[in-house]
Short mmCIF file of all heavy atoms in Angstrom, two decimals:
data_model
loop_
_atom_site.label_atom_id
_atom_site.label_comp_id
_atom_site.label_asym_id
_atom_site.label_seq_id
_atom_site.Cartn_x
_atom_site.Cartn_y
_atom_site.Cartn_z
N TRP A 1 0.84 -1.17 0.00
CA TRP A 1 0.01 0.00 -0.01
C TRP A 1 0.88 1.23 0.01
O TRP A 1 1.87 1.30 0.74
CB TRP A 1 -0.92 0.04 1.22
CG TRP A 1 -2.03 -0.94 1.19
CD1 TRP A 1 -2.05 -2.19 1.71
CD2 TRP A 1 -3.31 -0.74 0.58
NE1 TRP A 1 -3.27 -2.79 1.49
CE2 TRP A 1 -4.06 -1.92 0.78
CE3 TRP A 1 -3.92 0.31 -0.11
CZ2 TRP A 1 -5.37 -2.09 0.33
CZ3 TRP A 1 -5.21 0.16 -0.59
CH2 TRP A 1 -5.92 -1.02 -0.36
N TYR A 2 0.50 2.19 -0.82
CA TYR A 2 1.18 3.48 -0.89
C TYR A 2 0.12 4.56 -0.83
O TYR A 2 -1.06 4.32 -1.08
CB TYR A 2 1.99 3.59 -2.18
CG TYR A 2 3.16 2.64 -2.25
CD1 TYR A 2 2.95 1.28 -2.47
CD2 TYR A 2 4.46 3.08 -2.07
CE1 TYR A 2 4.01 0.38 -2.50
CE2 TYR A 2 5.53 2.20 -2.08
CZ TYR A 2 5.30 0.86 -2.33
OH TYR A 2 6.35 -0.02 -2.36
N ARG A 3 0.52 5.75 -0.49
CA ARG A 3 -0.44 6.85 -0.45
C ARG A 3 0.15 8.12 -1.03
O ARG A 3 1.37 8.30 -1.08
CB ARG A 3 -0.91 7.10 0.99
CG ARG A 3 0.18 7.64 1.92
CD ARG A 3 -0.34 7.67 3.35
NE ARG A 3 0.61 8.29 4.26
CZ ARG A 3 0.48 8.35 5.58
NH1 ARG A 3 -0.60 7.79 6.16
NH2 ARG A 3 1.40 8.93 6.32
N GLN A 4 -0.74 9.00 -1.46
CA GLN A 4 -0.32 10.25 -2.06
C GLN A 4 -1.31 11.35 -1.70
O GLN A 4 -2.50 11.25 -1.98
CB GLN A 4 -0.20 10.14 -3.57
CG GLN A 4 0.39 11.34 -4.24
CD GLN A 4 0.76 11.07 -5.70
OE1 GLN A 4 0.22 10.18 -6.32
NE2 GLN A 4 1.73 11.81 -6.20
N ALA A 5 -0.81 12.39 -1.06
CA ALA A 5 -1.59 13.58 -0.76
C ALA A 5 -1.32 14.64 -1.81
O ALA A 5 -0.28 14.61 -2.45
CB ALA A 5 -1.25 14.10 0.65
N PRO A 6 -2.23 15.59 -2.01
CA PRO A 6 -2.03 16.62 -3.02
C PRO A 6 -0.71 17.35 -2.83
O PRO A 6 -0.38 17.80 -1.74
CB PRO A 6 -3.22 17.56 -2.82
CG PRO A 6 -4.28 16.68 -2.25
CD PRO A 6 -3.56 15.70 -1.37
N GLY A 7 0.07 17.46 -3.91
CA GLY A 7 1.34 18.15 -3.87
C GLY A 7 2.49 17.30 -3.34
O GLY A 7 3.63 17.77 -3.34
N ASN A 8 2.22 16.12 -2.87
CA ASN A 8 3.26 15.24 -2.31
C ASN A 8 3.57 14.09 -3.24
O ASN A 8 2.78 13.71 -4.12
CB ASN A 8 2.83 14.69 -0.97
CG ASN A 8 2.74 15.74 0.12
OD1 ASN A 8 3.07 16.92 -0.11
ND2 ASN A 8 2.28 15.36 1.31
N GLU A 9 4.74 13.50 -3.04
CA GLU A 9 5.11 12.30 -3.76
C GLU A 9 4.39 11.10 -3.17
O GLU A 9 4.01 11.11 -1.99
CB GLU A 9 6.61 12.08 -3.72
CG GLU A 9 7.45 13.15 -4.43
CD GLU A 9 8.92 12.81 -4.44
OE1 GLU A 9 9.29 11.72 -3.94
OE2 GLU A 9 9.70 13.64 -4.91
N ARG A 10 4.22 10.09 -3.97
CA ARG A 10 3.65 8.87 -3.47
C ARG A 10 4.63 8.21 -2.49
O ARG A 10 5.81 8.08 -2.80
CB ARG A 10 3.32 7.93 -4.62
CG ARG A 10 2.49 6.74 -4.23
CD ARG A 10 1.95 6.00 -5.46
NE ARG A 10 1.04 6.84 -6.25
CZ ARG A 10 0.33 6.41 -7.29
NH1 ARG A 10 0.44 5.15 -7.71
NH2 ARG A 10 -0.45 7.26 -7.95
N GLU A 11 4.15 7.85 -1.32
CA GLU A 11 5.00 7.32 -0.29
C GLU A 11 4.56 5.95 0.18
O GLU A 11 3.39 5.58 0.10
CB GLU A 11 5.08 8.27 0.92
CG GLU A 11 3.79 8.41 1.68
CD GLU A 11 3.94 9.24 2.93
OE1 GLU A 11 5.07 9.52 3.35
OE2 GLU A 11 2.89 9.61 3.51
N LEU A 12 5.52 5.22 0.69
CA LEU A 12 5.27 3.85 1.20
C LEU A 12 4.40 3.91 2.44
O LEU A 12 4.66 4.67 3.36
CB LEU A 12 6.59 3.17 1.53
CG LEU A 12 6.51 1.89 2.35
CD1 LEU A 12 5.93 0.75 1.49
CD2 LEU A 12 7.90 1.51 2.89
N VAL A 13 3.36 3.07 2.46
CA VAL A 13 2.62 2.81 3.67
C VAL A 13 3.11 1.49 4.26
O VAL A 13 3.57 1.44 5.40
CB VAL A 13 1.10 2.75 3.38
CG1 VAL A 13 0.33 2.33 4.64
CG2 VAL A 13 0.60 4.09 2.88
N ALA A 14 3.00 0.41 3.50
CA ALA A 14 3.41 -0.90 3.98
C ALA A 14 3.53 -1.86 2.81
O ALA A 14 2.85 -1.72 1.81
CB ALA A 14 2.42 -1.44 5.01
N THR A 15 4.40 -2.84 2.96
CA THR A 15 4.49 -3.95 2.01
C THR A 15 4.54 -5.24 2.77
O THR A 15 4.89 -5.30 3.95
CB THR A 15 5.73 -3.86 1.11
OG1 THR A 15 6.93 -3.90 1.92
CG2 THR A 15 5.74 -2.60 0.28
N ILE A 16 4.14 -6.30 2.08
CA ILE A 16 4.22 -7.64 2.64
C ILE A 16 4.64 -8.60 1.55
O ILE A 16 4.17 -8.54 0.41
CB ILE A 16 2.86 -8.08 3.27
CG1 ILE A 16 2.98 -9.42 3.96
CG2 ILE A 16 1.74 -8.09 2.24
CD1 ILE A 16 1.80 -9.77 4.86
N THR A 17 5.56 -9.50 1.87
CA THR A 17 6.07 -10.46 0.93
C THR A 17 5.38 -11.79 1.08
O THR A 17 4.60 -12.01 2.01
CB THR A 17 7.59 -10.65 1.09
OG1 THR A 17 7.85 -11.24 2.38
CG2 THR A 17 8.33 -9.32 0.98
N SER A 18 5.65 -12.71 0.15
CA SER A 18 5.01 -14.02 0.17
C SER A 18 5.38 -14.82 1.40
O SER A 18 4.63 -15.71 1.79
CB SER A 18 5.35 -14.79 -1.09
OG SER A 18 6.75 -14.93 -1.24
N ASP A 19 6.51 -14.52 2.01
CA ASP A 19 6.92 -15.25 3.22
C ASP A 19 6.47 -14.56 4.49
O ASP A 19 6.79 -14.98 5.61
CB ASP A 19 8.43 -15.47 3.26
CG ASP A 19 9.22 -14.19 3.37
OD1 ASP A 19 8.65 -13.11 3.42
OD2 ASP A 19 10.48 -14.30 3.36
N GLY A 20 5.67 -13.48 4.36
CA GLY A 20 5.12 -12.82 5.49
C GLY A 20 5.92 -11.66 6.04
O GLY A 20 5.50 -11.03 7.04
N SER A 21 7.05 -11.38 5.45
CA SER A 21 7.85 -10.27 5.90
C SER A 21 7.16 -8.92 5.57
O SER A 21 6.62 -8.75 4.48
CB SER A 21 9.22 -10.30 5.23
OG SER A 21 10.01 -9.20 5.63
N THR A 22 7.14 -8.02 6.52
CA THR A 22 6.48 -6.74 6.34
C THR A 22 7.46 -5.58 6.48
O THR A 22 8.49 -5.68 7.14
CB THR A 22 5.33 -6.54 7.34
OG1 THR A 22 5.84 -6.66 8.69
CG2 THR A 22 4.25 -7.61 7.16
N ASN A 23 7.08 -4.49 5.86
CA ASN A 23 7.86 -3.26 5.93
C ASN A 23 6.88 -2.10 5.98
O ASN A 23 5.90 -2.09 5.23
CB ASN A 23 8.80 -3.13 4.72
CG ASN A 23 9.73 -1.95 4.85
OD1 ASN A 23 10.26 -1.68 5.91
ND2 ASN A 23 9.96 -1.26 3.73
N TYR A 24 7.13 -1.13 6.85
CA TYR A 24 6.24 -0.01 7.05
C TYR A 24 6.95 1.31 6.90
O TYR A 24 8.13 1.45 7.25
CB TYR A 24 5.58 -0.07 8.43
CG TYR A 24 4.67 -1.23 8.65
CD1 TYR A 24 5.15 -2.43 9.18
CD2 TYR A 24 3.31 -1.17 8.31
CE1 TYR A 24 4.33 -3.50 9.38
CE2 TYR A 24 2.47 -2.26 8.52
CZ TYR A 24 2.98 -3.41 9.05
OH TYR A 24 2.15 -4.50 9.24
N GLY A 25 6.21 2.28 6.39
CA GLY A 25 6.72 3.62 6.37
C GLY A 25 6.84 4.13 7.81
O GLY A 25 6.06 3.75 8.69
N ASN A 26 7.81 4.98 8.04
CA ASN A 26 8.07 5.46 9.40
C ASN A 26 6.85 6.14 10.03
O ASN A 26 6.63 6.03 11.23
CB ASN A 26 9.26 6.42 9.41
CG ASN A 26 10.59 5.72 9.17
OD1 ASN A 26 10.73 4.55 9.47
ND2 ASN A 26 11.53 6.45 8.63
N SER A 27 6.08 6.84 9.25
CA SER A 27 4.97 7.60 9.78
C SER A 27 3.78 6.74 10.22
O SER A 27 2.89 7.24 10.91
CB SER A 27 4.49 8.63 8.74
OG SER A 27 4.00 7.99 7.59
N VAL A 28 3.77 5.45 9.84
CA VAL A 28 2.64 4.60 10.17
C VAL A 28 3.00 3.44 11.06
O VAL A 28 2.14 2.68 11.49
CB VAL A 28 1.92 4.07 8.90
CG1 VAL A 28 1.56 5.20 7.96
CG2 VAL A 28 2.79 3.03 8.19
N LYS A 29 4.28 3.29 11.37
CA LYS A 29 4.74 2.18 12.23
C LYS A 29 4.03 2.23 13.59
O LYS A 29 3.94 3.27 14.21
CB LYS A 29 6.26 2.24 12.44
CG LYS A 29 7.05 1.87 11.20
CD LYS A 29 8.55 1.92 11.48
CE LYS A 29 9.35 1.51 10.24
NZ LYS A 29 10.81 1.64 10.46
N GLY A 30 3.55 1.06 14.00
CA GLY A 30 2.85 0.94 15.26
C GLY A 30 1.38 1.25 15.17
O GLY A 30 0.63 1.00 16.13
N ARG A 31 0.91 1.78 14.06
CA ARG A 31 -0.49 2.12 13.88
C ARG A 31 -1.19 1.33 12.79
O ARG A 31 -2.37 1.04 12.90
CB ARG A 31 -0.64 3.63 13.59
CG ARG A 31 -0.10 4.53 14.67
CD ARG A 31 -0.43 5.99 14.40
NE ARG A 31 0.18 6.48 13.15
CZ ARG A 31 -0.52 6.97 12.12
NH1 ARG A 31 -1.85 7.03 12.18
NH2 ARG A 31 0.12 7.40 11.04
N PHE A 32 -0.44 0.97 11.75
CA PHE A 32 -1.01 0.26 10.62
C PHE A 32 -0.49 -1.18 10.60
O PHE A 32 0.65 -1.46 10.97
CB PHE A 32 -0.64 0.93 9.29
CG PHE A 32 -1.27 2.26 9.05
CD1 PHE A 32 -1.95 2.94 10.05
CD2 PHE A 32 -1.19 2.86 7.79
CE1 PHE A 32 -2.54 4.20 9.81
CE2 PHE A 32 -1.75 4.09 7.55
CZ PHE A 32 -2.42 4.76 8.55
N THR A 33 -1.31 -2.10 10.09
CA THR A 33 -0.91 -3.48 9.95
C THR A 33 -1.36 -3.99 8.57
O THR A 33 -2.54 -3.92 8.23
CB THR A 33 -1.54 -4.37 11.02
OG1 THR A 33 -1.16 -3.88 12.34
CG2 THR A 33 -1.05 -5.81 10.87
N ILE A 34 -0.40 -4.51 7.82
CA ILE A 34 -0.71 -5.06 6.52
C ILE A 34 -0.80 -6.58 6.60
O ILE A 34 -0.11 -7.22 7.40
CB ILE A 34 0.35 -4.66 5.46
CG1 ILE A 34 -0.09 -5.04 4.05
CG2 ILE A 34 1.72 -5.26 5.80
CD1 ILE A 34 0.80 -4.49 2.95
N SER A 35 -1.69 -7.16 5.80
CA SER A 35 -1.83 -8.61 5.77
C SER A 35 -2.29 -9.02 4.37
O SER A 35 -2.78 -8.19 3.60
CB SER A 35 -2.85 -9.09 6.82
OG SER A 35 -4.14 -8.54 6.59
N ARG A 36 -2.13 -10.30 4.05
CA ARG A 36 -2.58 -10.79 2.76
C ARG A 36 -3.29 -12.12 2.94
O ARG A 36 -2.93 -12.95 3.82
CB ARG A 36 -1.42 -10.92 1.77
CG ARG A 36 -0.35 -11.95 2.11
CD ARG A 36 0.88 -11.80 1.22
NE ARG A 36 0.66 -12.23 -0.14
CZ ARG A 36 1.51 -12.04 -1.14
NH1 ARG A 36 2.62 -11.35 -0.93
NH2 ARG A 36 1.25 -12.49 -2.36
N ASP A 37 -4.31 -12.34 2.14
CA ASP A 37 -5.09 -13.55 2.16
C ASP A 37 -5.05 -14.13 0.75
O ASP A 37 -5.78 -13.66 -0.13
CB ASP A 37 -6.52 -13.28 2.61
CG ASP A 37 -7.34 -14.55 2.79
OD1 ASP A 37 -7.02 -15.58 2.19
OD2 ASP A 37 -8.30 -14.51 3.59
N ASN A 38 -4.19 -15.09 0.54
CA ASN A 38 -4.00 -15.65 -0.79
C ASN A 38 -5.26 -16.35 -1.30
O ASN A 38 -5.54 -16.31 -2.52
CB ASN A 38 -2.84 -16.64 -0.80
CG ASN A 38 -1.51 -15.97 -0.59
OD1 ASN A 38 -1.33 -14.79 -0.92
ND2 ASN A 38 -0.55 -16.69 -0.05
N ALA A 39 -6.03 -16.96 -0.42
CA ALA A 39 -7.25 -17.64 -0.82
C ALA A 39 -8.26 -16.66 -1.39
O ALA A 39 -9.06 -17.02 -2.25
CB ALA A 39 -7.85 -18.42 0.35
N LYS A 40 -8.28 -15.45 -0.88
CA LYS A 40 -9.20 -14.42 -1.34
C LYS A 40 -8.56 -13.46 -2.34
O LYS A 40 -9.21 -12.51 -2.80
CB LYS A 40 -9.74 -13.62 -0.17
CG LYS A 40 -10.59 -14.45 0.79
CD LYS A 40 -11.14 -13.58 1.92
CE LYS A 40 -12.03 -14.39 2.84
NZ LYS A 40 -12.57 -13.56 3.95
N ASN A 41 -7.30 -13.70 -2.67
CA ASN A 41 -6.57 -12.84 -3.59
C ASN A 41 -6.64 -11.38 -3.17
O ASN A 41 -6.83 -10.47 -3.99
CB ASN A 41 -7.09 -13.00 -5.03
CG ASN A 41 -6.91 -14.40 -5.54
OD1 ASN A 41 -5.89 -15.05 -5.28
ND2 ASN A 41 -7.87 -14.90 -6.30
N THR A 42 -6.47 -11.15 -1.88
CA THR A 42 -6.68 -9.83 -1.32
C THR A 42 -5.61 -9.47 -0.32
O THR A 42 -5.11 -10.33 0.43
CB THR A 42 -8.06 -9.79 -0.60
OG1 THR A 42 -9.11 -10.11 -1.54
CG2 THR A 42 -8.34 -8.40 -0.04
#
């Protein structure tokens, strides 16, 4: 997930890999959680 506010560059929110490893943007760490459900393709 990435986000973009007017006038700003698109920035990282969070990523998740197939092995479950996650990475978060500094501004959302501790507040946002990314997950994936392969069965639902979501």
Side-chain angles (χ1 to χ4, degrees):
W1 288 93
Y2 294 74
R3 68 187 185 186
Q4 187 167 25
N8 292 356
E9 295 184 4
R10 191 168 296 186
E11 66 174 348
L12 168 71
V13 174
T15 60
I16 185 167
T17 65
S18 57
D19 65 2
S21 179
T22 58
N23 186 41
Y24 295 91
N26 289 332
S27 63
V28 308
K29 288 181 179 177
R31 299 187 298 121
F32 291 11
T33 303
I34 189 171
S35 61
R36 65 192 287 170
D37 187 334
N38 292 333
K40 295 182 178 180
N41 298 321
T42 301

